[in-house]
Amino acid sequence: MKPIDIDTLLKNTAELCERLGTPSPSTAAILGSGWGTAIDDWTILQTVPYDEIPVLGAAAVKGHVGALHIADTGSGLCLVFQGRRHWYGCTSWDPVVFPAFLAHALGVDMLLVTNAGGGIRADLQPGDLMVIDDHINAMGVNPLQGPHRQELGPRFPDLTRLYTPELRAQLDTTAAELSIPLKHGVYLAVSGPSYETPAEVRAYASLGADAVGMSTVPEAIVAGALGLKVAGLSCITNRAAATGGEALSHDDVIAVTRSATPRMQALVHAFLGGAGSLAADRE
Ligand code: HPA
């Protein structure tokens, strides 16, 4: 896997800024598997399809729209990535980490990362929404590997408070106001694209993982290294390694996220609206 190419990221950032007129979003969101419809009721100001952004290219996974938007949350602008590029589908880190890099370059204060995941902890059942409290990187790689470039932050970034405690608390407050049940847990990232074996899931449980998925951790690491506040949400779409019954399929994963769409929409909208005003308050 090729290390991050800063020059490619800078070039794509400059081209997008010229096209979008250098907007000033205060928040950003990466909408992963099944989360794309969370912005269906938003005011979208500008849209650029991924296939018109050379570093991103076309999103190849079902359930990922593949478009960048500037949206108005009502209390500020949000840079929205509707669909993500996964490590397992790329030949370089650049498409995976570009959203975090662009968000930072545009002065964004906080990034919300969302995904679909398999529940490992007994109470995490299909349809549940989970706040990511912390992560375990079991991908076997790290996007910051390679020669150090100061444009990506320190050589050894501290991840102790990567998923910012006040944003996690704000997710709880927002969900409670909307009467949306919300769970918390540790998200473990694997490289994919195969789902886990039962033995792997037992091993991950013993390591302290509550849910498992194939994404999010690389973007969160880069965002944290760049100094962004990070919040994370998983939609639990299945019991990990199909311990709930039927064999796993991506179509089933997407179908479960559909049943959670009204909760995803309400929570993401209210949270990013509130986070935008928090960011504005600090200015
Ligand atoms: N494992 C890995 N990734 C996933 C899963 C899973 O069980 N469910 C949704 N994405």
Side-chain angles (χ1 to χ4, degrees), residues 48-151:
V48 184
Y50 284 179
D51 56 12
E52 295 176 18
I53 305 171
V55 70
L56 288 177
V61 178
K62 202 169 164 184
H64 291 253
V65 173
L68 174 158
H69 309 280
I70 301 291
D72 187 349
T73 64
S75 62
L77 298 185
C78 182
L79 175 69
V80 182
F81 291 87
Q82 198 178 23
R84 68 154 45 80
R85 301 300 309 276
H86 295 84
W87 182 78
Y88 60 72
C90 296
T91 52
S92 122
W93 279 113
D94 299 342
V96 181
V97 304
F98 181 65
F101 190 84
L102 180 68
H104 175 253
L106 294 182
V108 161
D109 183 68
M110 87 99 187
L111 172 69
L112 173 68
V113 284
T114 63
N115 61 38
I120 295 179
R121 202 177 68 213
D123 69 300
L124 287 169
Q125 294 294 328
D128 284 349
L129 299 183
M130 182 190 93
V131 177
I132 302 177
D133 284 335
D134 204 347
H135 78 223
I136 297 172
N137 181 4
M139 297 179 81
V141 286
N142 187 304
L144 298 175
Q145 281 163 348
H148 180 237
R149 290 283 302 253
Q150 65 185 18
E151 292 93 333

Side-chain angles (χ1 to χ4, degrees), residues 117-283:
I120 295 179
R121 202 177 68 213
D123 69 300
L124 287 169
Q125 294 294 328
D128 284 349
L129 299 183
M130 182 190 93
V131 177
I132 302 177
D133 284 335
D134 204 347
H135 78 223
I136 297 172
N137 181 4
M139 297 179 81
V141 286
N142 187 304
L144 298 175
Q145 281 163 348
H148 180 237
R149 290 283 302 253
Q150 65 185 18
E151 292 93 333
L152 281 171
R155 172 80 285 195
F156 303 107
D158 172 38
L159 300 184
T160 312
R161 291 157 55 89
L162 179 59
Y163 300 91
T164 313
E166 59 260 37
L167 293 179
R168 288 190 267 137
Q170 196 184 339
L171 278 167
D172 282 331
T173 309
T174 309
E177 282 165 8
L178 297 167
S179 303
I180 293 175
L182 207 50
K183 295 183 174 168
H184 282 249
V186 172
Y187 175 85
L188 180 142
V190 292
S191 65
S194 55
Y195 289 111
E196 303 69 43
T197 64
E200 285 168 343
V201 170
R202 285 194 298 276
Y204 298 151
S206 74
L207 290 176
D210 298 311
V212 57
M214 305 176 193
S215 69
T216 304
V217 161
E219 300 100 294
I221 290 174
V222 170
L226 291 171
L228 268 70
K229 296 185 174 62
V230 179
L233 284 172
S234 295
C235 178
I236 303 300
T237 52
N238 55 277
R239 294 292 300 156
T243 47
E246 294 291 296
L248 292 179
S249 82
H250 185 64
D251 286 344
D252 291 343
V253 163
I254 299 301
V256 172
T257 59
R258 269 191 214 113
S259 70
T261 295
R263 282 174 289 134
M264 292 164 155
Q265 269 177 354
L267 181 59
V268 167
H269 204 159
F271 173 69
L272 287 173
S277 36
L278 273 191
D281 287 349
R282 273 194 296 273
E283 281 162 12

